Amino acid sequence: MSARQFRPWTGGSGVSRRVGVGVGALLAALLLALVPLPPGTDRAQAAETGSGTKAADSAMTLTGRKGRYDDFSGLKVTVHQTRNLRAQGVDVTWKGPAVPPADGYQNFLQIMQCWGDDPAGPDREQCEFGGNRGGTHWMSQRTLPKGTDPLEKEYADSGDDNPFVPFQPLQGDPTDSPADATYFSNNDTNAQPWLRTRGDGTGEAVFEVKSAIEAPYLGCGDVGGAAGAGNPRKCWLVVVPRGEHDPDGSANVGVGVHTSPLSQSNWDQRLVFPMEFGAVGNTCPADKAERRVIGSELLTDAITSWQAKLCAGADARFTFSQAGEDYARRLIGNPTPTSPGMGVTVAPIEDGTGVVYAPVAVSALTVGFFWEDEQAGQVRDLKLSPRLLAKLVTGSYPYDIRQISFQNPVPDHLKGNAESIVVDPEFTKLNPYFDRPTQPQLGPGGILLQAGNSDVNSLLWRYLQSNAEARDFLRGKPDPWGMKVNPFYRTLGLDTDAPLDFPKADTTETRATLPDNGVERTISYGQLEKSPYSNDMHDGALRVRRGATGATFLPTLDPNSPQGIKLVASDSLPGTRQAYGVVDAASASRYELDIAALPNADGVYVRPTADSMLKAVARMPDSAVKGVKAPSPATAKSGAYPLTAVAYAMAPVDQPAEARQDYARLIRYAAGAGQAQGLTPGELPPGYVPMTKALRDQALSAADQLVRGRVADPAAPPPADGGSAGGTAAGGSGGGGDAAGAGAGAGGAAGAGAEAGGATAGAGAGTPETSVSPGAGAGTPGPSAKSGLASSGGLTPGEVLGIVRWVLLGVLVVGGVAALAGPVLLRLSARRAATAGGGPG
């Protein structure tokens, strides 16, 4: 053989080059077809880790400084969101040099929220820090131990008393003592006095920021104040790093630093982050016609975000009242002259006629948790089986009913049951980290459940019933370790009935006594005190974020109470806070909660992501109303998340024409620009999944029917003028940017419990609904509707990318075949030519 036959290909041959191109094109096509789209490109992520969409766009990192005794110049602190803030959780991470094992309180951060108009940052008097606890807890107080800071001048002259740094609110008188809880207390402050650093120098925390609704004394986001002039008031996040020395240079072995971060030397080391909030206040004129909407908390965060865009250029404003879906169905199904014109529910009205249904949001129910562990720091990964959930919602753990001690043993009706979830063999088998010889405590106590009635509560019961093990447990069958359902729940028929509420059925009472000058003071508590309700799911998520459920079971003497004794909550100390609750995905995302993985109908543990939620929607059957999907845990397979739900707006068609047009505009916005996910007002917040094209088309069709005042027959053929169920009607199409389309129709729908942290859900508070002030929480308008999704039958970016991918696949395949065909034909032609020339010889 000649050397020529072994010469490597150099690309010089045109034929060989064409073959290489063809093979490359076919390989690229195959790769494009097989490689999945990157996460978040097909559909924006829902709440899995709680991280907010586009939050990183406003992340800020600051570096520490060298102090007199401790060097923080290698410390870098990052606040991962500093703009478009509301009442929410914000991720804070830090990295510095490795630190020795903590000997007491050493090498940690202290974080607080402050107001202040000085561009350089706030004064220490303007920061929310310190509760109403007295004693010598200086590290977490506004009191400065006398004589411990050589640089302290402003508050040094206080006689024999320890200096006190007052809190000066935005408006009002300053506090005058450590016990002054006029503005905040140990139970509701967001200050973080002790966030420890790991041995490798890293750390992380989620900080709860408050808007002007939750903390008017800070005024963050307020548009009505002197500094506002229509612009939201800015605030600050202040981080004070602490090392191993107090300001006087002392290093207390076994104790650590114990002075307040507000002491001058400590304050001088602060890192200051500016924080920009969305507008809070009545930004939609009250003289516009009011269109009332009532219903499911699943829509609260979304409609709160949409309100700023909906109000702009509109002739009407919307007010949203969060209420139980059963109450909303009654008002819409049997309206009175004062009933709202639109309701939002998961399940439709039974036998309802003359009502249109428009899907407006896809979200989910979750088990959100915040779980600190003395050994591991923060627990991030939990799995809960349906049977474990059944144990939790039926009060079957003794620790969820009473404090377990020598004086208070396990009650007779729960003997033989695991005392708490962390010592349940079923739990430790699923979560091996907790399978260790000793537990530092019995765990978080009762799971937080909302007090009100809701369709999503019923969804959880149906989820438990769809699993044979959980259903058998509810029926009374013991688990493999002998644990049985709380007998107070066994007669409720929860293995077959799916109520709209979470009953607290155990009537057991526990007596607590304290001596008082020779007199025994006695008080009793029960399941409601040990495992209290949350007002709604937003309130539950906030309590979980704080690591404090509100359980009151510790007795304390109180001369002001009739019995001389009262029940109080136990302190949730940093490093040992543990709480979990059944909350919606939007609230879990809002407060950056971790989310437990739950098994779907295949037995595969999944969390609520965009992919898993839309897979669940695709497998949902119709409810009694054709086209209205029913959440179906039993059909949630192939990666689907089992607690996914679709929120539907329902409106009667016999309303006045102007009202129908306004409500149709709301539906069109929700199905159009309102499905673009992001943090800017007008967008779809984290915790929701942008609806599929089919759901958006269905919503637009419902809007058209509402404008016409006639419900279309589901079996009827499409109208002659084309379009979806009648085409576009008066008011324009879904995402249009004109006043007749997306921009018109609505204005001030702040979410109950979403922007108003203290709002309560109707059923839990004894009233049927929670009304919301128009305009609360509105912010700077987001992108125009024209820059959002297409108005009629538009595609999400993921759907567009999917189509482009398959078009490109076809182009590459055709190009590859063509590139290969040319060389093959040339070779055949050369062979024929050689044969025609007589061959060898």
Side-chain angles (χ1 to χ4, degrees):
M1 294 184 182
S2 68
R4 182 178 181 181
Q5 290 175 291
F6 288 94
R7 184 177 63 186
W9 179 74
T10 62
S13 167
V15 172
S16 298
R17 190 161 50 243
R18 291 189 195 99
V19 172
V21 170
V23 171
L26 288 176
L27 289 174
L30 179 62
L31 181 65
L32 184 64
L34 295 179
V35 174
L37 293 174
T41 56
D42 56 338
R43 303 175 186 91
Q45 284 290 324
E48 181 173 18
T49 62
S51 56
T53 306
K54 301 181 183 177
D57 293 349
S58 63
M60 178 180 292
T61 300
L62 296 178
T63 302
R65 300 181 296 278
K66 183 176 176 59
R68 296 181 67 192
Y69 303 107
D70 293 300
D71 187 358
F72 301 110
S73 58
L75 173 68
K76 294 185 182 297
V77 180
T78 300
V79 176
H80 290 264
Q81 183 185 350
T82 61
R83 294 196 297 270
N84 290 319
L85 294 166
R86 50 185 177 159
Q88 65 175 85
V90 174
D91 235 357
V92 181
T93 58
W94 59 96
K95 169 68 177 174
V99 298
D103 184 12
Y105 294 103
Q106 296 179 346
N107 300 311
F108 60 95
L109 299 189
Q110 299 184 283
I111 307 181
M112 62 199 80
Q113 184 177 349
C114 315
W115 71 276
D117 299 329
D118 188 334
D123 296 329
R124 46 185 167 166
E125 294 86 354
Q126 296 170 320
C127 294
E128 177 174 340
F129 191 87
N132 60 355
R133 184 192 292 130
T136 58
H137 298 273
W138 316 118
M139 186 187 73
S140 59
Q141 292 300 300
R142 307 188 72 87
T143 303
L144 315 179
K146 189 174 179 63
T148 57
D149 189 351
L151 299 185
E152 183 56 61
K153 305 300 182 185
E154 186 173 359
Y155 296 102
D157 187 14
S158 57
D160 294 332
D161 297 329
N162 291 308
F164 171 72
V165 181
F167 171 71
Q168 175 60 62
L170 177 64
Q171 294 180 337
D173 298 327
T175 56
D176 56 13
S177 75
D180 189 342
T182 302
Y183 305 106
F184 52 86
S185 72
N186 240 24
N187 296 324
D188 58 10
T189 182
N190 62 354
Q192 296 289 330
W194 182 55
L195 296 169
R196 61 182 178 180
T197 300
R198 294 186 283 259
D200 62 357
T202 64
E204 60 182 333
V206 174
F207 185 85
E208 174 208 340
V209 295
K210 300 178 179 180
S211 75
I213 293 179
E214 296 76 28
Y217 47 84
L218 297 175
C220 306
D222 181 31
V223 296
N231 297 317
R233 176 182 289 278
K234 296 181 180 180
C235 278
W236 308 89
L237 202 66
V238 173
V239 177
V240 179
R242 307 298 297 273
E244 300 174 15
H245 300 85
D246 272 320
D248 60 1
S250 62
N252 298 301
V253 177
V255 177
V257 300
H258 69 283
T259 53
S260 170
L262 303 183
S263 190
Q264 188 65 59
S265 294
N266 297 330
W267 183 251
D268 288 345
Q269 298 300 122
R270 69 193 182 278
L271 305 177
V272 180
F273 297 84
M275 306 292 278
E276 298 181 13
F277 283 74
V280 174
N282 193 351
T283 57
C284 193
D287 59 353
K288 294 185 178 183
E290 181 185 22
R291 303 300 182 201
R292 295 169 56 206
V293 183
I294 188 171
S296 177
E297 187 176 357
L298 279 185
L299 193 64
T300 295
D301 267 26
I303 200 168
T304 300
S305 174
W306 297 338
Q307 56 149 350
K309 290 289 293 181
L310 290 169
C311 183
D315 296 326
R317 63 190 180 100
F318 286 112
T319 54
F320 178 71
S321 298
Q322 181 180 295
E325 291 93 331
D326 59 331
Y327 182 65
R329 279 188 289 270
R330 290 197 301 270
L331 290 180
I332 300 300
N334 299 286
T336 68
T338 60
S339 292
M342 177 176 283
V344 180
T345 66
V346 174
I349 302 171
E350 293 185 7
D351 302 324
T353 57
V355 176
V356 297
Y357 292 89
V360 288
V362 176
S363 191
L365 198 62
T366 75
V367 178
F369 66 93
F370 172 43
W371 198 312
E372 293 179 321
D373 183 82
E374 292 181 351
Q375 297 182 29
Q378 190 165 337
V379 176
R380 293 289 192 181
D381 186 21
L382 282 182
K383 291 181 180 178
L384 293 176
S385 68
R387 186 165 55 200
L388 284 171
L389 268 178
K391 296 173 182 180
L392 289 169
V393 298
T394 57
S396 295
Y397 292 110
Y399 187 65
D400 298 354
I401 302 299
R402 68 160 56 159
Q403 184 77 352
I404 305 300
S405 65
F406 178 76
Q407 295 84 4
N408 296 313
V410 172
D412 290 341
H413 66 288
L414 294 177
K415 282 185 177 178
N417 284 4
E419 289 187 357
S420 74
I421 191 171
V422 295
V423 295
D424 186 340
E426 182 173 7
F427 178 76
T428 56
K429 183 178 180 181
L430 273 177
N431 303 278
Y433 166 75
F434 292 94
D435 189 9
R436 53 198 192 209
T438 59
Q439 292 289 340
Q441 57 186 31
L442 287 176
I447 191 169
L448 268 173
L449 305 168
Q450 66 167 325
N453 293 347
S454 175
D455 287 351
V456 293
N457 297 349
S458 182
L459 171 59
L460 182 62
W461 291 114
R462 293 201 301 274
Y463 171 61
L464 302 182
Q465 294 161 8
S466 70
N467 177 269
E469 291 180 344
R471 185 173 62 248
D472 287 345
F473 181 82
L474 293 172
R475 190 175 292 151
K477 180 180 178 180
D479 75 359
W481 300 272
M483 183 168 174
K484 298 179 181 179
V485 68
N486 188 326
F488 285 96
Y489 286 82
R490 193 166 52 218
T491 59
L492 300 182
L494 296 174
D495 59 317
T496 55
D497 293 336
L500 295 172
D501 65 339
F502 294 113
K504 300 282 187 182
D506 194 321
T507 58
T508 304
E509 287 198 341
T510 301
R511 295 182 64 191
T513 61
L514 284 177
D516 181 14
N517 295 323
V519 178
E520 287 288 333
R521 302 291 183 184
T522 302
I523 192 170
S524 297
Y525 66 87
Q527 186 183 14
L528 277 172
E529 288 76 29
K530 188 66 170 63
S531 298
Y533 284 117
S534 62
N535 296 321
D536 55 25
M537 292 187 290
H538 172 273
D539 174 58
L542 177 57
R543 293 197 205 181
V544 171
R545 168 47 54 208
R546 292 174 176 173
T549 64
T552 54
F553 55 89
L554 298 180
T556 184
L557 297 177
D558 180 16
N560 297 318
S561 67
Q563 297 171 288
I565 188 173
K566 67 178 181 180
L567 297 169
V568 297
S570 61
D571 284 340
S572 298
L573 299 177
T576 62
R577 294 169 293 187
Q578 297 177 356
Y580 48 8
V582 175
V583 299
D584 61 300
S587 295
S589 287
R590 183 174 187 148
Y591 288 106
E592 298 277 356
L593 301 182
D594 293 299
I595 294 176
L598 304 176
N600 60 15
D602 288 329
V604 178
Y605 281 81
V606 292
R607 291 183 175 87
T609 64
D611 182 64
S612 66
M613 291 163 69
L614 287 179
K615 283 181 177 177
V617 172
R619 301 183 69 90
M620 288 180 184
D622 279 355
S623 65
V625 175
K626 184 176 176 58
V628 177
K629 291 181 176 291
S632 178
T635 64
K637 299 180 179 180
S638 303
Y641 180 70
L643 297 183
T644 304
V646 181
Y648 286 86
M650 55 182 181
V653 296
D654 59 356
Q655 302 181 69
E658 289 185 357
R660 286 188 278 110
Q661 290 176 3
D662 287 333
Y663 286 121
R665 290 166 187 154
L666 170 59
I667 293 172
R668 290 183 176 121
Y669 185 86
Q675 292 300 307
Q677 198 157 34
L679 298 174
T680 303
E683 295 179 325
L684 190 69
Y688 296 93
V689 177
M691 295 192 299
T692 61
K693 181 179 183 298
L695 289 176
R696 296 196 304 272
D697 285 347
Q698 183 183 358
L700 296 175
S701 173
D704 294 343
Q705 296 172 48
L706 185 58
V707 170
R708 291 196 309 270
R710 186 173 68 256
V711 179
D713 181 355
D721 59 351
S724 59
T728 55
S733 57
D738 57 9
E755 289 299 333
T760 57
T767 56
E769 63 184 80
T770 297
S771 296
V772 182
S773 301
T780 305
S784 69
K786 291 181 180 179
S787 68
L789 302 177
S791 62
S792 180
L795 300 174
T796 64
E799 291 167 331
V800 172
L801 184 56
I803 293 173
V804 170
R805 178 166 73 166
W806 290 109
V807 171
L808 182 57
L809 173 64
V811 171
L812 288 172
V813 169
V814 172
V817 171
L820 289 174
V824 170
L825 292 175
L826 287 172
R827 289 178 184 272
L828 290 175
S829 175
R831 287 179 180 177
R832 289 172 181 167
T835 302

